[in-house]
Amino acid sequence: MRQLSDAVLAQILDCEPFRMIGSVADEQGVECYVVGGYVRDLFLERPSQDIDVVVVGSGIAVAEALKKRLGRKAHLSVFRNFGTAQVKCGNQEIEFVGARKESYSHDSRKPVVENGTLEDDQNRRDFTINALAVCLNADRYGELVDPFDGLYDLEDGIIRTPLDPDITFSDDPLRMLRCIRFATQLCFYIDDETFEALERNAERIKIVSGERISVELNKIMMARCPSRGFVDLQRAGLLPIIMPELSALDIVENRGGRVHKNNFYHTLEVLDNVVRTSLEAGMSPEQSLWLRWAALLHDIGKARTKRWDNNVGWTFHNHNFVGAKMVPDIFRRLKQPLDMKMKYVQKLVDLHMRPIVIADEEVTDSAVRRLLNDAGDDIDDLMLLCEADITSKNYVRKSRFLENFRLVRRKIVDLKERDYKRLLQPVIDGNEIMQMFSLKPGREVGELKKFLKDAVLDNKVANEREPLMILLREKAAEMGFTSKDE
């Protein structure tokens, strides 16, 4: 046990309810401690509003008494089935729980819970840096209880389990993802013994639900350098289980001295590039989360499309199209949203080669019009992703691509200013086509609409009724249709 520094103690004193909580606990004759992430973040100087309090006794009773003292400005929620309570006061949320010890069965991560001591409660914590406890009772106020030297691990930047890591991870396999997530968020190093236990227990992750896995993956994605997390997931053998499609990219094949790049590490470089440039563009991590997912999945189809061509070497033809088809299955398995967020990711995966192709050739109005039409409001995000995708170590080639991308961007701005977006839909719609040629909804109507749209996009004809009607009648005649007024 050690006393906190004046600076850290001052921050605890600044939290108005703490003295009150200690006073309530003293009246009830129980020990009480603020524990876990809040204490950890005090030392790391990270903001934290969620406070966990452990009571060696009834956490609910202390929470109820605190609510009475705080009066109307506080709100109390009690969860008797779980033995917990929550007090909300202003922008602070304080969770109360009785100290407990846990035991697990092999086929479930839900523990059997019993009342316990503070020592029992700290023993069940996932990592030493999350097992720190600060006493709130008056006679020991501000005393740090640190049985596993978590403070030293904080100073050294180490993630380590309090007890045997094999037991820690086997009991609750979600802790393996939390281990890698904390290391990624904090830029900490995973202790060797702890990492070896990750490798030994990787198969246990199969009992964890997709929802819980996604929560941790999203937190890794929102870190400033998410590639660290995915490298550790791959090294530990977790990634082949939770995202085998991504893990499958971690291979380099050599045929006759011709090799392709490691698409796994390329993907992670693109992901980190997207994080950096999206933050420079003013996006919050939360705003850029799905753009980061698009970066992670942009080459996901390459393992399935890889072919050897004796003339050109390794090819990945249509990997963007195949990858886009894979996105819904990946999102469904990971219980990610299947709404517009998934469609956004799918669209960017599908289109991510288009600006590169344009930039590698002459930047024509026609090509940019088509890109602008297909990308719609997501054009800026698509361009950001595609620029991040240029990871060539050839300085001349990279500079040429980036310069051409600047030309594409200028074309996009120019076309927007000339209001092409409004003109991209031909003035003759499907309903009119069906009425003119007595057609029912189907492939023929779609083909005629596409013909008119392509004519406008390729600048073969103005988006005006008379010239489009001439083209429509000619195309319909080729297909064997005549209008009712002919």
Side-chain angles (χ1 to χ4, degrees):
M1 296 183 186
R2 61 170 70 91
Q3 201 69 21
L4 297 185
S5 69
D6 291 341
V8 174
L9 184 57
Q11 291 184 63
I12 292 179
L13 292 173
D14 283 343
C15 183
E16 179 184 346
F18 280 164
R19 287 284 188 186
M20 197 177 297
I21 293 169
S23 175
V24 168
D26 286 338
E27 288 178 2
Q28 295 187 6
V30 295
E31 298 175 27
C32 103
Y33 303 82
V34 57
V35 299
Y38 183 84
V39 181
R40 176 198 70 225
D41 288 343
L42 280 178
F43 287 102
L44 294 175
E45 298 182 355
R46 299 172 76 210
S48 180
Q49 295 297 332
D50 296 334
I51 302 169
D52 293 322
V53 172
V54 165
V55 178
V56 185
S58 172
I60 292 176
V62 172
E64 290 173 335
L66 176 65
K67 166 65 174 80
K68 288 182 180 178
R69 288 211 185 177
L70 291 172
R72 293 184 178 180
K73 65 180 180 179
H75 175 75
L76 172 68
S77 301
V78 176
F79 311 95
R80 297 195 183 277
N81 288 344
F82 299 97
T84 64
Q86 180 190 75
V87 175
K88 289 185 179 181
C89 185
N91 62 351
Q92 290 179 329
E93 296 182 0
I94 307 173
E95 299 278 350
F96 290 84
V97 65
R100 59 192 186 182
K101 55 183 177 181
E102 299 174 342
S103 58
Y104 291 80
S105 62
H106 189 73
D107 60 348
S108 172
R109 53 178 294 270
K110 294 182 179 179
V112 176
V113 178
E114 303 174 70
N115 292 334
T117 63
L118 175 65
E119 181 182 4
D120 291 327
D121 203 89
Q122 288 179 299
N123 285 343
R124 74 179 181 83
R125 300 279 162 174
D126 49 9
F127 308 110
T128 59
I129 63 173
N130 293 335
L132 302 167
V134 175
C135 187
L136 298 181
N137 297 92
D139 60 341
R140 295 170 52 210
Y141 191 81
E143 183 179 274
L144 177 66
V145 183
D146 180 17
F148 307 111
D149 290 327
L151 191 55
Y152 292 124
D153 286 345
L154 275 180
E155 293 169 354
D156 295 337
I158 291 175
I159 303 293
R160 182 169 59 88
T161 60
L163 304 178
D164 184 338
D166 283 305
I167 296 175
T168 297
F169 295 146
S170 180
D171 280 350
D172 185 354
L174 183 65
R175 290 170 176 165
M176 293 190 287
L177 295 186
R178 284 170 55 83
C179 175
I180 291 173
R181 186 253 292 180
F182 279 120
T184 306
Q185 287 179 323
L186 303 176
C187 294
F188 277 19
Y189 168 77
I190 300 174
D191 167 72
D192 287 343
E193 184 179 351
T194 300
F195 195 89
E196 289 165 5
L198 289 176
E199 297 175 290
R200 288 191 294 269
N201 291 276
E203 288 289 323
R204 291 282 289 152
I205 200 67
K206 292 178 180 178
I207 72 169
V208 180
S209 70
E211 291 92 341
R212 299 306 298 270
I213 290 172
S214 278
V215 168
E216 296 302 322
L217 287 180
N218 283 343
K219 289 179 179 179
I220 290 172
M221 292 285 274
M222 288 169 64
R224 293 191 72 90
C225 186
S227 63
R228 291 176 56 116
F230 286 98
V231 169
D232 281 343
L233 288 171
Q234 179 75 339
R235 289 175 55 228
L238 289 162
L239 195 63
I241 300 171
I242 61 178
M243 286 190 72
E245 304 90 344
L246 182 60
S247 177
L249 299 179
D250 188 11
I251 187 172
V252 175
E253 290 192 56
N254 186 330
R255 185 172 293 192
R258 303 175 79 172
V259 300
H260 61 79
K261 64 187 173 186
N262 185 306
N263 287 302
F264 176 71
Y265 287 98
H266 163 73
T267 291
L268 298 186
E269 187 176 354
V270 174
L271 175 59
D272 284 349
N273 286 345
V274 161
V275 171
R276 184 182 65 257
T277 54
S278 63
L279 292 176
E280 289 172 355
M283 285 188 189
S284 69
E286 293 82 359
Q287 288 174 317
S288 70
L289 174 60
W290 304 110
L291 177 58
R292 297 177 189 211
W293 269 101
L296 187 71
L297 301 182
H298 81 283
D299 276 348
I300 204 71
K302 280 192 170 180
R304 296 186 183 180
T305 59
K306 184 169 68 173
R307 299 290 184 273
W308 171 260
D309 184 308
N310 287 326
N311 295 318
V312 298
W314 295 104
T315 67
F316 304 91
H317 294 314
N318 293 322
H319 74 273
N320 55 310
F321 175 76
V322 172
K325 291 284 189 181
M326 294 167 66
V327 169
D329 286 341
I330 294 172
F331 267 49
R332 192 173 294 111
R333 186 179 70 244
L334 293 175
K335 305 300 188 227
Q336 292 282 20
L338 299 177
D339 55 12
M340 296 306 295
K341 299 181 181 71
M342 185 273 289
K343 293 184 183 299
Y344 165 88
V345 172
Q346 191 175 26
K347 179 201 282 189
L348 264 57
V349 171
D350 187 23
L351 296 179
H352 82 271
M353 293 297 294
R354 290 273 293 280
I356 294 174
V357 172
I358 293 172
D360 200 25
E361 300 171 352
E362 183 182 355
V363 183
T364 65
D365 280 1
S366 176
V368 175
R369 282 195 199 99
R370 287 178 172 278
L371 177 65
L372 186 55
N373 177 71
D374 293 340
D377 293 336
D378 300 317
I379 184 65
D380 291 334
D381 289 356
L382 176 63
M383 292 301 297
L384 192 152
L385 170 61
C386 292
E387 288 173 348
D389 196 17
I390 305 302
T391 61
S392 173
K393 301 303 182 285
N394 183 320
Y395 176 78
V396 174
R397 177 175 168 79
K398 185 173 183 177
S399 297
R400 177 169 60 82
F401 266 116
L402 292 177
E403 176 57 33
N404 283 359
F405 271 133
R406 281 189 278 273
L407 292 176
V408 174
R409 283 188 179 276
R410 284 201 290 270
K411 285 278 189 182
I412 289 171
V413 171
D414 182 50
L415 290 175
K416 281 183 175 180
E417 288 177 352
R418 287 152 54 190
D419 200 20
Y420 268 98
K421 186 176 179 182
R422 177 176 59 84
L423 299 176
L424 289 180
Q425 293 300 325
V427 295
I428 302 173
D429 63 17
N431 289 328
E432 187 171 359
I433 291 172
M434 287 188 288
Q435 186 176 4
M436 283 179 62
F437 300 104
S438 300
L439 295 173
K440 293 182 178 180
R443 181 183 58 81
E444 293 86 357
V445 177
E447 188 174 339
L448 289 169
K449 285 176 60 180
K450 184 177 184 303
F451 173 75
L452 295 182
K453 186 173 184 178
D454 287 345
V456 173
L457 289 171
D458 292 334
N459 210 26
K460 293 178 180 178
V461 65
N463 192 14
E464 297 172 1
R465 184 174 184 80
E466 186 174 344
L468 280 175
M469 191 63 73
I470 294 172
L471 279 181
L472 176 60
R473 292 182 189 279
E474 291 175 354
K475 180 65 175 177
E478 289 178 15
M479 297 172 63
F481 307 130
T482 57
S483 66
K484 291 190 296 186
D485 57 357
E486 289 182 333

